[in-house]
């Protein structure tokens, strides 16, 4: 059952109706441009050791990613932020299916470049049962090869919609991660990877459950 895909399609339809055509065109251009960038892809493959990184909790405290490895396989989901409706869909479905993920021996961590204060508000409002961590200045996504600079001609459209990445991410880089989801085992080895340069597409939770 493609519940995530259906929810994403509904958002696309709403955007097509509510946003000016030039905005939709700009977003589509951005996606097609990313698809053309052959060098933009995860350097970590299934079977590789997932790199450790220092991330920030919603309280702004440092935590090493390796501290989250334990008796559970870890679903590591990179998202742009709670301002992105497609990211919100993905994370909401992870939360909705969290009990089943735990039952199968899994755990979840969501990683985003947005500041800890935004992650804290998002986590509180949505009552997420898992951690949402800040990848400050995209340090980890840069290491993984999955971060990109938002195209300059697209930035004004983001700002017009109230999405000021300098405020949200706390830097001037305008960099975001492409949506990538890994499953890492107890030893830190990647056992599954989903990657799509089109941020309007996301992995189905059923696919993750199969691979835990």
């Amino acid at each position: 059952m493609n519940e995530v895909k259906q929810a994403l399609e509904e958002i696309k339809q709403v955007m097509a109706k509510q946003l000016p055509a030039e905005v939709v065109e700009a977003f589509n251009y951005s996606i097609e441009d990313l698809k053309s960038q052959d060098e933009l892809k995860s350097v970590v493959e299934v079977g590789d050791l997932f790199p450790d990184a220092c991330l920030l909790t919603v309280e702004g405290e440092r935590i090493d990613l390796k501290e989250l490895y334990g008796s559970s396989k870890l679903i590591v989901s990179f998202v742009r932020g709670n301002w992105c409706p497609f990211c919100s869909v993905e994370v909401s479905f992870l939360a909705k299916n969290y009990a089943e993920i735990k039952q199968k021996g899994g755990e979840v961590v969501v990683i985003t470049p947005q500041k800890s204060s935004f992650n804290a508000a998002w986590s509180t409002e949505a009552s997420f049962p898992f951690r949402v961590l800040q990848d400050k200045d995209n340090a980890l996504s840069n290491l993984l090869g999955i971060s990109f600079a938002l195209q300059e001609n697209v930035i004004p459209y983001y700002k017009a919609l109230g999405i000021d990445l300098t405020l949200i991410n706390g830097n001037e880089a305008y960099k975001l991660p492409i949506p990538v989801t890994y499953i890492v085992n107890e030893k830190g080895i990647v056992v599954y990877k989903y990657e799509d340069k089109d941020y309007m597409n996301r992995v189905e939770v059923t696919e993750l459950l199969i691979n835990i």
Side-chain angles (χ1 to χ4, degrees):
M1 184 163 52
N2 297 324
E3 290 183 308
V4 173
K5 182 178 181 180
Q6 181 178 343
L8 296 174
E9 286 297 327
E10 291 173 0
I11 292 175
K12 293 178 189 178
Q13 292 175 15
V14 171
M15 287 177 59
K17 291 179 181 178
Q18 294 185 351
L19 294 179
E22 64 181 50
V23 176
V24 175
E25 281 183 23
F27 290 169
N28 289 337
Y29 159 78
S30 176
I31 291 170
E32 291 305 314
D33 181 60
L34 293 178
K35 288 180 178 179
S36 71
Q37 297 181 29
D38 294 336
E39 73 280 2
L40 179 58
K41 59 183 178 181
S42 173
V43 299
V44 174
E45 301 293 342
V46 171
D48 291 343
L49 180 67
F50 198 79
D52 191 24
C54 182
L55 304 166
L56 297 177
T57 68
V58 293
E59 295 84 14
E61 298 175 351
R62 295 177 179 274
I63 183 172
D64 289 332
L65 188 61
K66 65 181 180 181
E67 294 180 32
L68 304 181
Y69 305 151
S71 59
S72 302
K73 287 183 179 177
L74 186 64
I75 296 173
V76 183
S77 177
F78 284 82
V79 301
R80 291 146 38 107
N82 64 324
W83 52 267
C84 170
F86 303 98
C87 299
S88 293
V89 165
E90 176 186 350
V91 180
S92 68
F93 271 93
L94 287 172
K96 177 182 177 182
N97 292 274
Y98 184 69
E100 188 172 358
I101 290 171
K102 290 289 287 184
Q103 186 177 20
K104 292 204 67 176
E107 183 54 82
V108 175
V109 61
V110 172
I111 299 178
T112 168
Q114 70 181 10
K115 293 190 295 187
S116 293
S117 56
F118 288 93
N119 289 335
W122 189 19
S123 298
T124 299
E125 181 180 351
S127 299
F128 290 139
F130 43 72
R131 292 179 182 268
V132 180
L133 301 177
Q134 181 191 2
D135 179 19
K136 184 174 174 56
D137 298 330
N138 293 279
L140 179 55
S141 60
N142 286 339
L143 180 63
L144 293 169
I146 63 172
S147 67
F148 68 95
L150 190 64
Q151 299 90 342
E152 288 189 9
N153 65 316
V154 179
I155 292 174
Y157 294 108
Y158 274 63
K159 288 184 175 179
L161 293 171
I163 305 167
D164 186 347
L165 293 180
T166 62
L167 173 64
I168 295 170
N169 293 350
N171 59 50
E172 302 292 329
Y174 282 96
K175 294 192 74 173
L176 296 168
I178 59 172
V180 182
T181 300
Y182 305 89
I183 298 180
V184 182
N185 70 14
E186 299 85 346
K187 295 182 179 180
I189 303 298
V190 177
V191 297
Y192 173 86
K193 182 184 75 173
Y194 167 89
E195 181 174 357
D196 195 326
K197 294 177 184 178
D198 186 345
Y199 61 80
M200 296 186 185
N201 297 329
R202 302 299 166 111
V203 65
E204 290 287 343
V205 178
T206 50
E207 177 75 9
L208 298 176
L209 288 168
I210 291 171
N211 286 279
I212 292 177

